[in-house]
Amino acid sequence: MERVVSVSESSSVPRPPSSKSPASPGFPSHLSQRRSLIAAAGLGLLGAPWVSRAQSSTLRIATTIASSGVERFNGLGLLNGAQAYFDAVNRAGGINGRQIELVKADDEFNAGKAKDNALKFASDANVLALIHPQGTRQTTEVMKAVTSLPIIGPNTGATALHKSGAKNVFWVRTNYDQEVERLVKLADNLGLKRFGLVYPNDPFGQSVLESFKASLARRNIEAVGIASTPGTASLEVDAAARQLAKLPVQVLIMSLAGTTPAFYKAYRDAGGVSLCYGLSVSGTASNLAQLAKGNDRPFFSVIVPSPNAQKFEIVRQYRRDMKTAGFEIDSLVSLEGYVDAYVLAEGLRRAGAKPDRDSLMAGLESLSNFDIGGVRLNFGKTVREGNHYTDTVTIDAHGRLIS
């Protein structure tokens, strides 16, 4: 396991307002005051030394992600986004004077290893929370095994998991029902009725398949074609691509993640001509760069604003912090990780001077009608799905997302 306490240069120090803060048009007052606060801090923050655990007690946050294998780009995006946010918080002095320490373990996108990692983290009383476990099968195993440790922002939209009622899990991403509905509605409004779907034959894919069928059923539409790949991490995509390329599909929803570019190329090479839509989990920087090489490019559903939608304060903040950290910016996944960290940090702020797991959960429950810079989240005593934001984007020839 790798421990990281980041204290590197940043031009942003996010700090949500108290309930007494005066409202301002457009965004909360803390966001509009952000630059002046940083300027007041002066250059004293720049070049700050790394903070050792001997100097101050850290707030330990854990993550189990894929640092290797096909899904490593998703894992890296989530990690970089969270790290960029925590870096900024640490440079500002941390939370109540304590630095945030991010503890990482590689699960290789293996559900058993993800479960083992989570159990080890849960057994450490100094670990306050687990942030964005990656993948549907992995999250399922983690949720079964760990019920006392707060889990923030699992990287799956599986509707059954979202609706499971787990008290310790706070969902920051939108569920797949809402994502798929957004894509189907977009196509339906364009008069396109012949839908196809490719999905991995695993819990992630099965969840999207259910969402897809339900969305079409509401419109009395029958799918023209449905094909599967062996699994989320499998590059055996040619058979599914050839199967769908033969069918008169107008809109093909690609329920894939790291293998999206491989399938998309195979589908086009096989003569597939339909409009293609992808889910937010496929929006890594690596995927977008590969998909931009063709003459036509997919659309994507998103559960956070596009990283280039700078009308959102959360996006401007994300771009500044990612640039300072030296990370790639054009990634839906890293912005998701950034937002996860934003939410977790605000829960810590509201947990009091000596936060523990219970007070952190209480802090997260208090995030009702919480503005993160243009997107509002709603948690509560009995509400664990905080985000219902969806939109659609495409990419330009350079792999940049276009709203």
Side-chain angles (χ1 to χ4, degrees):
M1 297 183 184
E2 180 179 336
R3 293 179 296 171
V4 183
V5 183
S6 296
V7 187
S8 54
E9 296 182 9
S10 173
S11 61
S12 58
V13 181
R15 177 74 167 123
S18 69
S19 59
K20 297 180 181 179
S21 298
S24 63
F27 299 106
S29 59
H30 76 285
L31 295 171
S32 61
Q33 295 168 357
R34 190 162 168 268
R35 291 182 178 176
S36 60
L37 288 173
I38 296 163
L43 296 177
L45 291 176
L46 302 183
W50 282 52
V51 178
S52 70
R53 297 184 67 192
Q55 290 175 300
S56 65
S57 177
T58 59
L59 299 167
R60 300 189 75 193
I61 306 301
T63 184
T64 175
I65 57 171
S67 297
S68 54
V70 174
E71 292 302 315
R72 68 189 182 279
F73 295 110
N74 266 357
L76 181 63
L78 292 168
L79 181 67
N80 287 351
Q83 192 68 67
Y85 187 86
F86 290 150
D87 282 354
V89 172
N90 286 343
R91 269 188 307 279
I95 295 177
N96 292 318
R98 298 173 67 182
Q99 299 283 291
I100 298 175
E101 178 185 8
L102 186 58
V103 187
K104 180 188 74 173
D106 180 14
D107 57 38
E108 302 173 11
F109 207 63
N110 177 283
K113 291 182 180 180
K115 173 184 173 180
D116 290 344
N117 289 342
L119 285 169
K120 290 175 183 176
F121 289 138
S123 68
D124 182 349
N126 291 316
V127 172
L128 294 173
L130 183 69
I131 189 171
H132 47 229
Q134 180 189 350
T136 301
R137 182 178 284 147
Q138 292 76 5
T139 298
T140 300
E141 292 303 311
V142 168
M143 288 174 61
K144 288 178 183 177
V146 175
T147 59
S148 61
L149 183 67
I151 302 172
I152 293 86
N155 180 235
T156 174
T159 304
L161 291 179
H162 279 237
K163 305 295 184 184
S164 67
K167 299 297 183 184
N168 64 317
V169 183
F170 292 80
W171 299 96
V172 183
R173 73 163 9 256
T174 308
N175 65 50
Y176 291 142
D177 277 2
Q178 294 168 305
E179 277 202 72
V180 172
E181 174 64 20
R182 181 78 185 211
L183 294 176
V184 171
K185 182 178 180 180
L186 173 64
D188 192 27
N189 288 344
L190 295 173
L192 304 175
K193 308 293 184 182
R194 300 200 300 272
F195 288 86
L197 174 74
V198 58
Y199 70 97
N201 190 16
D202 58 20
F204 159 51
Q206 292 290 342
S207 177
V208 177
L209 175 62
E210 291 177 11
S211 299
F212 175 74
K213 288 181 174 179
S215 185
L216 293 192
R218 284 191 288 271
R219 295 168 171 81
N220 295 315
I221 297 175
E222 290 284 340
V224 172
I226 297 176
S228 65
T229 66
T232 298
S234 174
L235 288 168
E236 296 178 28
V237 298
D238 288 353
R242 289 193 298 268
Q243 177 184 336
L244 289 165
K246 296 175 182 178
L247 301 173
V249 174
Q250 291 177 312
V251 177
L252 176 59
I253 295 179
M254 302 181 295
S255 171
L256 303 170
T259 62
T260 300
F263 171 83
Y264 187 71
K265 182 179 185 303
Y267 176 70
R268 292 298 189 220
D269 289 347
V273 296
S274 73
L275 187 64
C276 290
Y277 292 166
L279 297 180
S280 59
V281 291
S282 60
T284 64
S286 174
N287 278 4
L288 297 178
Q290 294 179 67
L291 292 166
K293 296 176 182 178
N295 293 325
D296 60 330
R297 303 171 191 98
F299 285 79
F300 296 90
S301 58
V302 295
I303 50 85
V304 290
S306 161
N308 292 305
Q310 297 196 53
K311 66 180 181 180
F312 293 93
E313 173 61 20
I314 185 65
V315 171
R316 297 195 295 272
Q317 181 176 310
Y318 156 84
R319 292 180 67 86
R320 288 192 292 265
D321 291 343
M322 290 288 283
K323 183 178 180 180
T324 298
F327 298 144
E328 289 188 83
I329 292 171
D330 287 313
S331 166
L332 292 170
V333 178
S334 61
L335 181 51
E336 178 181 343
Y338 186 90
V339 171
D340 291 340
Y342 192 121
V343 170
L344 197 162
E346 180 59 13
L348 287 171
R349 290 188 183 99
R350 298 185 183 205
K354 296 182 179 180
D356 57 23
R357 294 174 183 181
D358 289 337
S359 63
L360 172 56
M361 287 183 63
L364 291 166
E365 288 176 347
S366 74
L367 299 180
S368 176
N369 196 28
F370 179 60
D371 187 354
I372 63 170
V375 176
R376 291 189 179 275
L377 303 181
N378 282 283
F379 293 104
K381 288 285 186 181
T382 60
V383 180
R384 291 297 184 265
E385 285 193 277
N387 183 15
H388 299 284
Y389 178 91
T390 59
D391 200 356
T392 53
V393 299
T394 187
I395 52 178
D396 66 15
H398 303 287
R400 292 188 295 256
L401 288 156
I402 306 170
S403 300

